[in-house]
Amino acid sequence: QVQLVESGGGLVQNGGSLQLSCAASGVKLDYFAIGWFRQAPGKEREGVLCIKNNNTGTQYADSVKGRFTFSRDNAKNTVYLHMNNLKPDDTAVYYCAGTPWPVQAMCLSREEYDYWGQGIQVTVSS
């Protein structure tokens, strides 16, 4: 059974930083395409950052470019979302998602992913 579990969320002040982790069980993430998504109250779930299979390309939402980055630790079977200079508009539930199947074009599309974490709250105070 595949599980993705996010951790590291919480409350942070405007301009602060957080690192979210997404640990996998039941599957090796090494060759997966990974997406980080978020959903604010009353809004659609949106992609913020993604990396294609085998690290062949990364895409960012315009709103997070220069502030959010991705990394992975294959030994821990974990991927990370590093969030810097956080703003109140970044407040949302954040989800990691993965798929072993090749993502050809837009990896920020929710439809590309087969596995999802349960989500974790990030709140940025003004």
Side-chain angles (χ1 to χ4, degrees):
Q1 181 181 358
V2 177
Q3 266 196 315
L4 301 178
V5 179
E6 299 98 339
S7 61
L11 175 64
V12 65
Q13 289 187 334
N14 189 15
S17 298
L18 275 179
Q19 175 181 284
L20 301 184
S21 303
C22 175
S25 59
V27 69
K28 291 291 290 178
L29 293 181
D30 306 31
Y31 58 94
F32 268 47
I34 298 293
W36 283 96
F37 293 78
R38 67 186 181 188
Q39 188 165 16
K43 294 189 177 181
E44 294 283 321
R45 190 173 300 187
E46 64 171 353
V48 295
L49 182 155
C50 59
I51 185 162
K52 292 187 177 181
N53 312 75
N54 299 309
N55 297 331
T56 53
T58 307
Q59 295 173 6
Y60 300 84
D62 289 343
S63 59
V64 306
K65 280 181 182 176
R67 301 189 298 122
F68 289 14
T69 57
F70 172 91
S71 67
R72 68 167 88 218
D73 185 334
N74 290 336
K76 294 182 178 180
N77 207 24
T78 299
V79 297
Y80 303 94
L81 178 65
H82 308 276
M83 305 185 292
N84 298 309
N85 192 21
L86 283 160
K87 306 173 183 180
D89 284 349
D90 295 317
T91 295
V93 176
Y94 283 72
Y95 301 86
C96 65
T99 181
W101 304 106
V103 174
Q104 302 297 336
M106 289 297 295
C107 61
L108 287 176
S109 173
R110 292 178 292 174
E111 289 71 28
E112 295 287 353
Y113 297 93
D114 300 293
Y115 304 110
W116 289 83
Q118 81 286 356
I120 192 161
Q121 179 69 45
V122 171
T123 302
V124 184
S125 64
S126 57

